[in-house]
């Protein structure tokens, strides 16, 4: 072998050896690559054995090159071994930590917020009676929220519904009830009108167990020929039965709201004790909503003929219904976002 051949063989031996070592994907493969590149039958070992046939003048140079190739290949083996051992260790650690035979962790299923499910139940009950959903803006004008509903400008009834006046142009306020949508609906369509109106309302109230400055109502409005107080009572009774059970009874008593005449409050028989009287209801009745026959002033304000048409309206608080349904003692619990509370009342969608 001459020196040129020897250098060529050594170059190949290093290239092939390094490639095999660096691509070894397991410790076994690395051992095989090591034997092939550095073992007794490796190309470098062969060159080393034939050093004696090389010219004396070239021999030291070739000898040094043989040593260098050996060293490079050994260093590559050592480096690859460290890497593969680290990988193997990481694999072991992972399988130690993860018991792959355990069932997967189930993400908790989402559920409807109790106020959402209550709102839907109330609205659905009216939809099944033939009512349509009507909605209006949360930012209202003084006219729709008060004047058109027959609240005179300085009437004390306005004081019971103090609200928040945003700092924007126009006489805008955050609506204190869903009743302004009665006006908007009567302006927009001719009787017969049968609508159910869900929505968020606002009042300047300090939060306590039964008050929040933001809450939700459902309003209903029926305007048709020949509607009477009996229709109102029958409708609300049908709704109460759909909501609370088939044995529900309702009773009405006089109450005052500027936009109804006569105005009424409505009680439902207690769905906890069946009307016998218990800790929640006291005397067997639960006060639930305000209602009444639409005041003729509203018909005048919206261009509906009060000689031809009559109507009834009602409004109720969703939080109150949800508190009664679920026995929740404090309205604030619905808005605190405590999953331990909410998950007990969550309904699937
Ligand atoms: N808007 C009234 C309130 O928030 C509730 C109400 C009472 C609505 C009587 C009505 C009604 O439609 O007839 O206090």
């Amino acid at each position: 072998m001459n020196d040129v051949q020897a250098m060529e063989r050594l170059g190949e031996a290093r290239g092939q050896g390094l490639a095999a070592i660096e691509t070894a994907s397991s410790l076994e493969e690395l051992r095989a690559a090591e034997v092939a590149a550095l073992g007794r039958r490796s190309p470098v070992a062969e060159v080393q054995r034939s050093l004696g046939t090389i010219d004396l003048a070239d021999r030291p140079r070739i000898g040094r090159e043989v040593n260098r190739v050996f060293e490079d290949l050994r260093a590559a083996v050592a480096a690859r071994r460290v890497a593969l051992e680290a990988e193997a260790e990481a694999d072991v650690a992972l399988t130690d930590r993860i018991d792959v035979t355990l069932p997967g962790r189930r993400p908790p299923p989402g559920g409807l917020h109790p106020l959402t499910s209550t709102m839907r139940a109330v609205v659905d009950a009216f939809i099944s009676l033939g009512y349509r959903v009507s909605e209006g803006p949360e930012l209202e004008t003084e006219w729709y929220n008060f004047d058109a509903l027959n609240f005179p400008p300085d009437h004390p009834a306005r004081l019971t519904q103090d609200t928040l006046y945003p700092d924007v142009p126009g006489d805008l306020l955050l609506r204190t009830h869903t009743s302004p949508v009665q006006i908007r609906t009567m302006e927009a369509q001719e009787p017969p009108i049968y609508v159910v109106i869900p929505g968020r309302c606002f009042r300047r109230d300090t939060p306590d167990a039964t008050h929040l400055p933001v809450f939700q109502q459902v309003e209903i409005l029926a305007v048709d020929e020949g509607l009477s107080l009996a229709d109102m009572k029958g409708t609300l009774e049908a709704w109460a039965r759909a909501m609370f059970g088939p044995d529900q009874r309702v009773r009405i008593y006089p109450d005052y709201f500027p936009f109804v005449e006569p105005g009424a409050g409505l009680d439902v028989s207690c769905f906890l004790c069946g009307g016998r009287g218990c800790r929640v209801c006291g005397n067997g009745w639960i006060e639930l909503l305000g209602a009444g026959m639409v005041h003729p002033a509203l018909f005048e304000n919206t261009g509906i003929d009060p000689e031809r048409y009559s109507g009834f309206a009602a409004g109720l608080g969703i939080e109150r219904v949800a508190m009664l349904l679920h026995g929740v003692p404090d309205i604030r619990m619905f808005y605190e976002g405590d999953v331990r509370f909410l998950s007990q009342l969550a309904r699937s969608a």
Side-chain angles (χ1 to χ4, degrees), residues 161 176-177 179 182 203 217 219-220 257 259-260 290-292 313-315:
Q161 300 195 7
T176 58
H177 48 178
S179 304
Q182 288 189 33
R203 287 190 199 180
Q217 287 190 341
E219 185 95 10
I220 67 149
F257 301 96
F259 40 90
V260 280

Side-chain angles (χ1 to χ4, degrees), residues 279-290:
R279 205 160 44 85
V280 172
C281 63
N283 62 0
W285 294 97
I286 292 177
E287 198 182 318
L288 203 56
L289 51 84

Side-chain angles (χ1 to χ4, degrees), residues 1 5-6 9-10 12-13 35-54 62 66 69-70 73:
M1 190 185 302
Q5 287 169 331
R9 297 287 291 280
L10 288 171
E12 277 169 24
V35 169
L38 290 154
R40 273 188 304 117
R41 291 206 216 127
S42 64
V44 209
E46 231 170 78
V47 176
Q48 192 180 37
R49 270 197 297 279
S50 26
L51 270 178
T53 67
I54 288 171
I62 304 300
V66 166
V69 174
F70 267 129
L73 292 171

Side-chain angles (χ1 to χ4, degrees), residues 86-163:
E87 264 174 40
E89 206 167 293
D91 283 352
V92 170
L94 214 60
T95 41
D96 273 354
R97 255 180 298 142
I98 297 174
D99 180 350
V100 294
T101 65
L102 282 175
R105 245 176 249 164
R106 222 176 268 273
L112 290 181
H113 190 284
L115 294 181
T116 305
S117 51
T118 304
M119 177 66 100
R120 288 194 187 172
V122 171
V123 171
D124 284 353
F126 283 109
I127 287 176
S128 72
L129 291 174
Y131 283 64
R132 291 191 312 109
V133 174
S134 183
E135 287 180 296
E138 293 174 2
L139 202 52
E140 257 304 359
T141 62
E142 193 114 11
W143 167 255
Y144 284 112
N145 195 77
F146 291 124
D147 302 85
L149 287 166
N150 199 36
F151 284 78
D154 44 11
H155 195 280
R158 283 202 191 202
L159 285 180
T160 65
Q161 300 195 7
D162 195 9
T163 183

Side-chain angles (χ1 to χ4, degrees), residues 143-144 146-150 179-191 193 221-223 259 294-306 309-311:
W143 167 255
Y144 284 112
F146 291 124
D147 302 85
L149 287 166
N150 199 36
S179 304
V181 190
Q182 288 189 33
I183 304 295
R184 290 181 176 277
T185 306
M186 288 191 280
E187 277 178 349
Q189 67 184 86
E190 298 281 316
I193 294 171
L221 172 68
V223 181
F259 40 90
V294 178
H295 196 290
L298 274 65
F299 289 144
E300 263 158 48
N301 288 334
T302 54
I304 288 176
D305 180 2
Y309 294 107
S310 59

